[in-house]
Structure formats: structure tokens, C-alpha cells
Amino acid sequence: MAAVIPPPGEHLHDRKNLQLIGKARRRVDGRAKVTGQTKFADDLQFPRMAHCKLLRSRVPHAIIKNIDATRAAARPGVLLVLTGRDFPIPYGILPVSHDEFPLCNDRVRFVGDPVAAVIATDPLIAFEALDDIDVEYEPLRTFSDPEDSIQHSEPRIHEYADKGNLHKLVSLQFGDVAGGFADADHVFDDVFFYQGNTHLPIETHATVGTKDPDGKLTVYSSTQCPHYLHKATAKALDMDPAHIRIIACSNGGGFGGKSDVFNHEIVVARAALMLDRPVKICLTREEVFYCHRGRHPVTMRFKTGVKNDGTITALHVQSLLDGGAYGSYGVASTFYTGALQTVTYHIPKYRFDGCRAFTNKPPCGPKRGHGTPQSRFGQEIQLDKIAVKLGIDPAELRLRIIEQPNTLTANFLTVRTIGLRECVERVVRMSDWKNKYKKMPHGRGVGIACSSYLCGAGLSINWNEMPQSGVQLNLDRSGRVTAFCGATEIGQGSDDVLVACVAEILGIDPHDVRPVTGDTDLGPVDLGSYSSRVTLMMGNAAIQAAERARDLLAIAVAKKLEIPKERLVFANRKVFDCENPLKALSFRDAVCAAETMHGTIGTVGSYSPPKSPAKFKGGGVGPSPTYSYSAAVVEVEIDPRTGWLRVPRVWMAHDIGRALNPTLAIGQVQGSIYMGLGEALMEEQEFRRLPERLSNALVHKFPSMLEYKSPTTLETPEMYIELVEDPDPTGPFGAKEVGQGPLLPIMPAVANAVFDAIGVRIDEVPITPEKILKALDAKAKGKDPRFGPASFPSVPYPEPIIVTPPWEGGDGRAANEPEKKHRTEQNQGARNAAWHDAQKLMNEKSNPEGASR
């Protein structure tokens, strides 16, 4: 059946569904009033939930000339209409990119940018009132891709960009890269493209704002980072942060898509304060596509010099990111496309050039793996090409060049334990690699790839000396232990890790520990569930708090049992003498004894990562307490007549340090494999131009789960997973991350398997039947048997910051300080002026006349 394309912007709201919901709700409300079921609430005048809907821009780039909300405000049931004038203070997730407003106040930058909010007694009323808001736009030039943004610097999407519409430009060089290429026996130069895609959590975004009886604000939201939402809300609403409480509800999936701060969260917060009643918003699936913050589309160039035995002599990586309309995590994303190459394989000389361009599309941000899957895709395919050229088995090549443990890399990243060698050996054995590679029938093949990933970022987003995670314990006379922490459960099992770490130290059953997490009023700060940081950072904080509690109990029990405290063992819900186990107290009695001696028992623990040796500008992205490693072999079956590709089996080995909960860990690996296959085979965040007669707007091609394809159970392969345990001293009980790293090798392993199966290279994702057929056609005509970008765009990268590698005597500092060419004092002055104007406007009555009732 042919798809029916709606008029521009018409698909922004699902009118039919909302009408059906509204009718059903009115029928239910009618029955309740007839039977008297609402009488008690009505008599006490409990504030009923109000509902918010956002009016989103239908043009991709324009100045907002005027917003007339008079008709909407007059509609029965409408309680409040808000516009950009109600939100004069910008916010953002990174300190260098505070470029968003809860509602656009002067300009829209993509189709879907919110310009007004309607709060009403019913979601259908709020939705229908959106049509009563008249917005006058002055269209501006639209930038559709990074090349367009490179070629045209005006009009600027944001004034603070490094150069024109190029948000971030970076260049770092470690050692004599040109000399490294001169020493090489072979130099490989390849270009790759990684298409953008979105997170696709089952649960969409939802937020409720309420005003407490004492006038304070409480926000319930499906966020991964309540601390960052707390900070941004205080800034955007110009409120005392002590009067704001954020409660992160258990997420129905996040994958990075809920780690940013979103417009709707701050809008309902202000509405709740103004109306003194709870205000709720639930985004539609299509609106989630507009929020986005998903995988950046990235074009990459990899230039690698190698010796005849495969040893790498030098590597030069260039990346060009399509960042969309706002900053988000984009500066960090840019660095991550080049930061972790050196912790996987030994690279003695390295240069990285990165560029993130603004375009008039939904903003990109962090998705599982955050910036690293794209460059991992390019590096692992190029290694496969090098192996073929040199006549070396691809698995053997990787074993030859793996970085060594306890190493400081060229770009001053500290590698501690590294179990990658065992990972490669295990997947080779599990998959029967040596009997399959280059030996299977035409149309069938296997591919291998490796990866590395962070176990939490070494530096916090807002740089300071405070801990990145804290845990507070309360020990009750009943024997119950309550663990308070700001970490957020998003389905990855962080509450289980918190409980397990505390229970293990105190020798009690995990069921005796109650976790209280994701609440900024109740728990100490944890920066959030992102960058695979929670197990290592929260786990270490939990262990420290539990050890301090154990010490208090040990002092009291030792006195009561009249034995040295060094002989005490905490296990099986008891505290006993290791030399005479019958001499014991129950854990409950131990707590009572400690409370008698010390008073109420409560302890705290916190964690701060080790200091990074990288002192150069840009060295803050990449450091981690330790790194996890993965290796994967993927088997494919391809029909050369149709290009149809199937993945029947995947083998994965992951260096986890130590598995605190093997069942949860394997589940995380399975999820990574599933998501990686989606990115490899079908997922893409595509856009299209509407015809000139329909505004020529740049809009989503597939803003729904009907057309945006992701794997189902039918496409899910057999998975064979092994966890490699090599305890890391920096992790809790030796544990490393498992939530993101196993995703990274899947996409390049699929591409390498395609080459083994049919002898063509697909140097971009998704790898679709159409691309396979085009590569096969090129092969049949004697052309380069490949599908992918032909060349890398010309990007005005700055002069590199030069850093001497550690083995050449470098101390982590730059040898030069390139002139800051792109960020002028004039631009800084303009930003300062804008801030003062915003503060002035905040002190004035900001509601447009007739906009609120």
C-alpha cells in the first residue's frame, strides 16, 4: 500500500487518536458525576490534573515575527497559554552550549521546535487550542547537511559557533604523524559514513509538574539525569534550586535519549507554579522523533600507516558530524569520535580533526556508545581491509596490535586492565572462525570486530572538585538498611547494583536493603545514568558507605562479644567471631548495639574518579577510571539476486572485569547486539524536502514506528555470549561496564562479514539490499566493488594543538597554544548583552496580553 504523505506539519499531532481519547474520557467523567464518584474530590476542591500540549514549528528556520494566542486563551477549558516571552533565560546540558529556550523566543531552528504551550483541563482541549494560535514567521535559509553549513556561514543558526555554522572545530596531534606515515610500508586511506538514528525507547517522554503546599516545585519526569534537570530548571526559571525537587521515574528505556534536558520538562514546571495545580505532558511518538538527541550522522576519513606485519605506525582520523539545530552534548560527541581509538590498539602517533556542524534538523546528542560507534565502524572495517591486503587473518591482526595493560596512550588515556586478547580468542573459538572465514559457500560469511568503551567519564559535565556519585545509608533497628542515591534506574539494573554492593559488605540479604533513588530531595547527588558510569561510580560510593557502617557496627559488637573487631565476620545476616562462629549477634541486634553506643546509625560514601594526566585543551573527553573491551563475530547470509541480508548468529565476548549480576549483564549484552543490528541493517533518521508549493520545509521522512524500522524477534539472531572476568582494581569488586561497549563491534562485524560472503565493501550504515546490489553491480562491471562515500569534504580545521606522547617525554600539556581564530571578543560581547537583556525581561511582566487566564 502506498503511504499517504500529509500536508506540511499536519502529522505533528495525531488528531484522530486524541479525539477518541477525549470522547472516552468525557464518557467516563459523565458516569462518575451521575453516580457521585467525584463528589468527595469536588467538595474538597482538590486541584485536578491539567494537561499540556506544545505548538511546534512547521518551518525549519525562521524569525518569529509575532505570536497571537488570544483565540486560544479564550477557548473554554484553556487555563494558560505560554510563549517564549515567558521563558527569557536559556539553558543547556553543557556549560558551553546554553542555546535552548523552553519555548522559542525569537527564532525557530527546525520543524518541531516548540513555540507555544497550551495548558487545559483536558488534553483534547489543549490540542485543539493549538490551532487557535497564530504565528507569523519570516523564513530564513535552511541548512540541510554539514556540507551546506560549511559552504554558507550566513545566516548563522547560532552566533556562538566556532566559525559560521560550524559549532565545534578541533584538531589534536600527538607525535610526528607525518613521520609515522613515512615509516609505514603501506598507507590506507578510506572514507566512511555512519547514518544517524534514534533511540526508540518503548516509553515516550512524560513529565508532571506540581506546586507543593509550601510553594516549592516538584517535577516527576522520565529523565536519566535528575541532577542535570534540577540544575537546568533552576536556571531557566530563575528559582532557588533548594526549592526544586526532581523525581526521576523508572524509565521504560532511555539509551541516552533522556539524558538531556527537554523543553517540555521546564514548560510544565512553570505552568504548575503559575496555576497552582499539577500539569502533565506526554509526548506522542512523533514528538519524540523531534526531541531526538540521537546518533549523529558522521562522515569519517581514516588514514592509517602500517608495517608489513600489521603494526600501526600512525593514524589520522577526521570526522564531520551533522549536529542538528542545537548544541546538546555535541561538543563532547565531537571529541568522542576520535578519543578512544588509542585505548584499543597501540597507536604511537595520532592526529584527530573533528567538526560538528549546525543544521536545521532535530538536535543530535548521546545515543548508546555516544560518539564512539561511528569511528569504531570506520576503524574496524579499515583493519579488515588492511588484513586482506597484507594476507593476515583479521583476528590475528587484532591480536598483534592490542594495546598493553597499565599503559598511558599517545593522547594520555590511562589503560589499566585489558581483557581484549581473551575476548578475541574466545569468539574465535566459539564461532569456529578458522573453519569459516573465507571457507563458507558464496553468499555466506563471517566478520570480526573489536571495541572499547568508558566506565564513566573522568570529568563531570560541570567541572568541579566534588564527587560524581554519593550514597547515604540509614540502618534501622529492625535490621533494614535504606540506601539513598541520586542514580536513576532506566532498566539497566542500577538499583540491583546498589543493593548488592551494600548487602555484600554488610553480610545481609539483598532483600533487607531498600533503594531510594532518582530523587534530588532525598538522595545525595549522582550525575546520572549515562556514559556507563553508574556501576563503577555508584558502586564504589555504596561500598565506601557500607564499609563505614560496618566499622561502626564492628566496634559495638566487638565490645559486646568481648573480642577484637578484626575477628568479626559479617555474613548470613549475622556478625560472628571467625574463630568461634557460635559467638555471634544477628545483624538486627548488631545495629541495636551500635545505635546504643553511637546513636542513630547513618553513613555516607562518595566517589571521585582519578585525576587525568591529560592537561591539554580537549583532554577532558576520553579519560575514564578504566575501559571495557568487547570482541564479536557475526555470521551473515546474503541472497546475491536480491541483496537480502540475514544475520543468523552472533558470538560476543565482553571484558566485564567481574560480573556482579551475570543474568543482568548478559541481558545488557543481548540488548547491545539487538540495537547494533538495528543500526547495521535498517535504522536511519532520514529527512526530505517538501515540494515548493508545500513550503519547501525540511521534515522527517519517517517520524513514526510504522516506517522507522527496527528489528523484531524475527530478525533477532542466535546469540552466544561469554563474559570475560579480569577484575579491575578501580571497579566495585573489580566490575566494569556492560551497558554500552558490546554494541560497538556489531556494525563493523556485519560489514566485514558481507565482504567475506560476497566480496563487496559497504562502507556505510545501514547496510541495505539496495546498497549491496549496487556494490555487486560495480563489481560485475570491473569497478571498485564498494558502496560508500567517494570523498571527504573540505573542512576548515584549525591548526592542531601539538602534544608530545608520554614515551617521547610528554607531560600531558600542549607544546603550542593556537590562536583562537573563531571565537571573537565581539561575539562574547554579544552573548553578554543577550544575557543582560534576558535578565531585564525576566524582571518585567513577560506574559503576552491575553495569553493567560
Side-chain angles (χ1 to χ4, degrees):
M1 181 184 296
V4 179
I5 305 300
E10 183 62 30
H11 56 282
L12 290 178
H13 308 284
D14 194 338
R15 182 181 298 272
K16 183 177 180 181
N17 284 346
L18 278 172
Q19 288 173 340
L20 292 174
I21 293 169
K23 289 177 182 178
R25 180 173 288 114
R26 284 194 287 271
R27 286 198 297 271
V28 172
D29 290 347
R31 285 199 301 273
K33 290 177 181 178
V34 169
T35 60
Q37 293 174 19
T38 61
K39 186 175 188 303
F40 178 73
D42 290 341
D43 287 347
L44 293 182
Q45 296 182 340
F46 286 168
R48 292 184 61 190
M49 182 76 73
H51 299 270
C52 177
K53 290 291 178 182
L54 299 178
L55 178 68
R56 297 181 179 275
S57 171
R58 299 182 179 185
V59 296
H61 197 196
I63 295 172
I64 300 174
K65 301 294 289 183
N66 184 54
I67 300 178
D68 185 354
T70 306
R71 292 190 299 126
R75 180 183 281 265
V78 172
L79 304 171
L80 180 69
V81 179
L82 299 171
T83 66
R85 289 185 60 188
D86 298 289
F87 300 96
I89 300 176
Y91 69 92
I93 193 70
L94 298 184
V96 295
S97 302
H98 282 210
D99 57 2
E100 295 189 64
F101 292 87
L103 296 172
C104 300
N105 62 0
D106 62 346
R107 183 185 295 194
V108 295
R109 294 174 170 86
F110 68 97
V111 171
D113 226 354
V115 296
V118 174
I119 297 89
T121 57
D122 184 277
L124 180 59
I125 294 173
F127 168 72
E128 291 177 338
L130 297 178
D131 289 339
D132 295 332
I133 301 176
D134 300 310
V135 184
E136 180 185 351
Y137 295 108
E138 179 182 314
L140 297 171
R141 190 187 194 282
T142 302
F143 298 88
S144 59
D145 55 53
E147 290 87 343
D148 198 8
S149 299
I150 291 172
Q151 295 169 7
H152 302 92
S153 59
E154 298 291 340
R156 283 192 164 198
I157 297 175
H158 292 284
E159 290 298 323
Y160 74 90
D162 276 0
K163 182 177 183 180
N165 282 309
L166 303 183
H167 175 202
K168 185 63 182 176
L169 288 160
V170 58
S171 183
L172 301 170
Q173 182 170 316
F174 307 91
D176 181 7
V177 176
F181 287 131
D183 292 339
D185 296 320
H186 307 272
V187 176
F188 293 79
D189 200 337
D190 296 286
V191 182
F192 305 92
F193 176 67
Y194 201 104
Q195 177 61 285
N197 48 69
T198 197
H199 314 84
L200 216 66
I202 295 299
E203 175 202 52
T204 61
H205 298 254
T207 303
V208 174
T210 66
K211 184 179 179 181
D212 295 344
D214 57 2
K216 296 178 182 178
L217 172 67
T218 299
V219 177
Y220 303 83
S221 193
S222 55
T223 177
Q224 296 178 227
C225 302
H227 171 65
Y228 292 144
L229 176 56
H230 182 268
K231 190 177 184 70
T233 302
K235 179 178 186 288
L237 299 184
D238 195 27
M239 280 187 68
D240 186 338
H243 299 163
I244 299 174
R245 179 184 186 185
I246 306 296
I247 299 175
C249 305
S250 295
N251 284 202
F255 314 115
K258 297 172 183 174
S259 58
D260 214 325
V261 179
F262 290 95
N263 315 75
H264 63 272
E265 294 173 309
I266 299 174
V267 168
V268 298
R270 165 142 291 179
L273 291 172
M274 295 175 70
L275 295 173
D276 196 11
R277 66 191 292 174
V279 179
K280 176 181 181 179
I281 186 168
C282 292
L283 300 192
T284 64
R285 175 62 58 183
E286 185 171 350
E287 287 182 295
V288 176
F289 275 91
Y290 294 115
C291 286
H292 193 40
R293 319 297 158 128
R295 187 85 71 213
H296 285 74
V298 179
T299 304
M300 300 157 282
R301 180 188 177 196
F302 274 76
K303 184 178 180 182
T304 304
V306 296
K307 292 291 190 179
N308 286 325
D309 64 356
T311 303
I312 296 174
T313 62
L315 173 64
H316 185 184
V317 176
Q318 294 179 304
S319 65
L320 176 60
L321 294 75
D322 185 340
Y326 290 99
S328 184
Y329 285 83
V331 171
S333 307
T334 305
F335 280 101
Y336 274 132
T337 60
L340 301 189
Q341 270 43 62
T342 58
V343 301
T344 316
Y345 308 112
H346 181 65
I347 300 171
K349 298 175 174 62
Y350 180 52
R351 175 167 174 172
F352 166 62
D353 300 322
C355 172
R356 184 180 192 260
F358 283 128
T359 57
N360 294 117
K361 293 185 280 192
C364 298
K367 186 189 175 186
R368 202 172 194 170
H370 191 192
T372 64
Q374 297 95 321
S375 51
R376 178 59 51 194
F377 177 77
Q379 185 173 31
E380 293 296 319
I381 294 177
Q382 189 178 65
L383 284 176
D384 204 67
K385 295 180 179 183
I386 292 171
V388 171
K389 176 71 173 179
L390 300 182
I392 302 172
D393 182 287
E396 174 60 29
L397 173 66
R398 287 165 171 81
L399 290 173
R400 293 182 185 184
I401 61 176
I402 288 174
E403 186 55 279
Q404 297 300 307
N406 303 311
T407 297
L408 198 59
T409 68
N411 54 341
F412 286 85
L413 301 181
T414 303
V415 176
R416 292 182 171 85
T417 60
I418 173 169
L420 183 54
R421 177 172 299 277
E422 186 172 350
C423 289
V424 173
E425 291 171 347
R426 287 204 192 186
V427 294
V428 166
R429 184 186 68 251
M430 281 194 293
S431 64
D432 196 22
W433 168 267
K434 295 186 182 298
N435 291 319
K436 289 182 177 178
Y437 177 64
K438 298 176 68 174
K439 297 176 182 178
M440 300 181 78
H442 184 70
R444 296 180 59 195
V446 289
I448 191 170
C450 300
S451 71
S452 55
Y453 197 64
L454 309 163
C455 295
L459 286 176
S460 62
I461 287 175
N462 300 284
W463 286 14
N464 56 63
E465 298 297 323
M466 292 182 283
Q468 290 201 29
S469 185
V471 171
Q472 183 175 1
L473 299 183
N474 169 260
L475 279 66
D476 186 76
R477 299 173 188 179
S478 66
R480 185 198 70 236
V481 177
T482 305
F484 300 91
C485 183
T488 309
E489 175 61 68
I490 60 172
Q492 85 282 38
S494 61
D495 281 2
D496 181 86
V497 170
L498 173 61
V499 165
C501 288
V502 172
E504 179 71 17
I505 296 297
L506 297 180
I508 58 179
D509 191 286
H511 199 59
D512 297 333
V513 183
R514 181 184 298 277
V516 179
T517 56
D519 188 327
T520 59
D521 258 20
L522 300 183
V525 168
D526 179 273
L527 298 186
S529 293
Y530 67 96
S531 291
S532 284
R533 56 177 299 284
V534 178
T535 290
L536 189 141
M537 297 191 180
M538 179 197 70
N540 278 321
I543 288 172
Q544 185 182 78
E547 288 175 341
R548 289 172 173 172
R550 184 185 62 189
D551 291 345
L552 292 175
L553 268 62
I555 294 171
V557 173
K559 181 178 180 181
K560 194 173 186 69
L561 298 182
E562 298 180 338
I563 61 173
K565 66 177 182 177
E566 291 76 18
R567 283 168 41 188
L568 291 175
V569 176
F570 287 68
N572 300 320
R573 303 174 82 181
K574 295 180 180 180
V575 185
F576 57 87
D577 183 356
C578 66
E579 296 182 3
N580 181 12
L582 295 179
K583 201 170 188 179
L585 289 182
S586 69
F587 183 78
R588 180 186 306 166
D589 290 341
V591 173
C592 291
E595 188 170 342
T596 300
M597 175 180 286
H598 305 294
T600 301
I601 304 299
T603 59
V604 295
S606 58
Y607 178 78
S608 296
K611 297 288 185 182
S612 169
K615 309 300 180 185
F616 56 90
K617 183 177 180 181
V621 178
S624 177
T626 189
Y627 301 90
S628 72
Y629 295 87
S630 304
V633 170
V634 172
E635 182 178 329
V636 301
E637 295 175 354
I638 302 171
D639 185 341
R641 299 168 301 172
T642 63
W644 193 257
L645 167 63
R646 193 174 80 87
V647 177
R649 280 167 287 277
V650 174
W651 297 267
M652 169 74 72
H654 178 70
D655 168 24
I656 195 173
R658 173 173 285 161
L660 301 185
N661 186 320
T663 300
L664 285 179
I666 292 215
Q668 287 291 296
V669 177
Q670 290 171 334
S672 287
I673 293 172
Y674 165 85
M675 184 170 281
L677 288 176
E679 297 193 20
L681 302 177
M682 60 191 73
E683 295 190 41
E684 52 184 331
Q685 183 96 335
E686 271 285 8
F687 295 82
R688 63 187 174 90
R689 285 280 192 185
L690 292 176
E692 192 74 39
R693 61 184 177 81
L694 295 177
S695 82
N696 198 36
L698 185 67
V699 299
H700 265 286
K701 191 175 183 180
F702 303 130
S704 79
M705 290 182 69
L706 181 63
E707 295 92 356
Y708 182 94
K709 302 302 181 184
S710 65
T712 67
T713 54
L714 296 178
E715 289 81 40
T716 303
E718 298 174 13
M719 301 180 190
Y720 303 89
I721 298 166
E722 290 193 8
L723 300 176
V724 173
E725 294 193 281
D726 178 16
D728 191 288
T730 64
F733 306 111
K736 296 184 183 182
E737 76 87 33
V738 68
Q740 303 188 64
L743 167 89
L744 275 63
I746 297 298
M747 296 76 72
V750 171
N752 292 338
V754 168
F755 178 78
D756 186 46
I758 56 175
V760 300
R761 293 285 181 188
I762 310 298
D763 287 344
E764 65 175 59
V765 291
I767 301 169
T768 61
E770 295 84 357
K771 296 173 184 177
I772 290 174
L773 289 177
K774 288 180 180 179
L776 285 172
D777 183 62
K779 181 181 180 181
K781 294 177 179 177
K783 299 179 181 179
D784 187 8
R786 171 186 179 272
F787 186 94
S791 61
F792 189 82
S794 176
V795 180
Y797 293 114
E799 289 296 316
I801 292 175
I802 306 295
V803 182
T804 303
W807 44 81
E808 295 179 11
D811 61 359
R813 291 179 169 82
N816 65 331
E817 287 293 336
E819 182 182 357
K820 297 180 180 179
K821 300 179 180 179
H822 309 308
R823 196 182 298 267
T824 65
E825 292 181 3
Q826 182 179 3
N827 286 340
Q828 183 63 52
R831 288 196 299 279
N832 291 339
W835 170 255
H836 290 303
D837 290 344
Q839 292 286 64
K840 180 180 178 181
L841 187 58
M842 189 65 186
N843 294 328
E844 299 174 354
K845 181 181 173 79
S846 59
N847 289 340
E849 186 168 345
S852 62
R853 301 177 68 242

